């Protein structure tokens, strides 16, 4: 049940974030969206600093973070489709952390909250005023 509550909070936070960025002009909004995606890319890498995991799992965390970060950079410079892809990728990565498929330890509530947030922002990018902004 706690996972569902976290997921619902993530939806609300995602909607609030979309409303916030919708209240500023498109280019600064796009920059804010990209910066937040770049920040989310670093969350699980930061969690790695507080624990010891096998090298291959650390490399996997870093690789996913690198791809998400690259989506933020390319999305800022080329097309918002890359931002949407980065949020979807990070949301899927969040879901893999929830059932412990990827054993990087984070607070139990975090993966479902972050996944919901990421998916809300991705949908907004695909259907909102930022689509297909190049």
């Amino acid at each position: 049940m706690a996972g569902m509550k976290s997921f619902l909070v993530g939806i609300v936070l995602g909607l609030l974030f979309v409303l916030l960025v919708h209240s500023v002009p498109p280019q600064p909004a796009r920059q804010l969206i990209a910066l937040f995606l770049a920040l989310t890319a670093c969350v699980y890498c930061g969690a790695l600093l507080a624990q010891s995991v096998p090298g291959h799992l650390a490399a996997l965390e870093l690789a996913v973070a690198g791809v998400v970060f690259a989506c933020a950079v390319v999305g800022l410079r080329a097309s918002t489709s890359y931002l949407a892809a980065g949020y979807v990728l990070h949301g899927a990565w969040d879901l893999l952390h929830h059932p412990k498929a990827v054993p990087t330890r984070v607070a139990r509530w975090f993966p479902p909250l972050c996944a919901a947030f990421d998916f809300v922002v991705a949908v907004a990018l695909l259907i909102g005023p930022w689509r297909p902004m190049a």
Side-chain angles (χ1 to χ4, degrees):
M1 189 63 174
M4 182 56 72
K5 183 178 177 183
S6 295
F7 194 80
L8 292 174
V9 169
I11 290 172
V12 170
L13 291 174
L15 291 171
L16 289 173
F17 180 74
V18 168
L19 287 173
L20 170 73
V21 297
H22 188 63
S23 70
V24 298
Q27 190 56 35
R30 183 178 178 167
Q31 292 168 340
L32 182 59
I33 293 165
L35 285 170
F36 201 81
L37 179 59
L39 173 69
T40 64
C42 302
V43 171
Y44 292 114
C45 294
L48 286 175
L49 298 174
Q51 57 195 284
S52 178
V53 297
H56 70 283
L57 289 175
L60 181 60
E61 285 284 11
L62 292 171
V64 171
V67 172
V68 172
F69 191 86
C71 286
V73 171
V74 175
L76 182 59
R77 306 292 293 164
S79 169
T80 54
S81 298
Y82 289 96
L83 293 173
Y87 277 101
V88 168
L89 174 60
H90 194 265
W93 192 238
D94 290 322
L95 293 177
L96 287 175
H97 282 80
H98 186 58
K100 304 292 185 198
V102 178
T104 304
R105 289 187 311 272
V106 292
R108 184 179 170 121
W109 55 265
F110 182 77
L113 184 147
C114 192
F117 179 95
D118 291 343
F119 293 140
V120 167
V121 175
V123 168
L125 284 165
L126 294 172
I127 66 171
W130 309 283
R131 87 172 185 276
M133 186 189 236

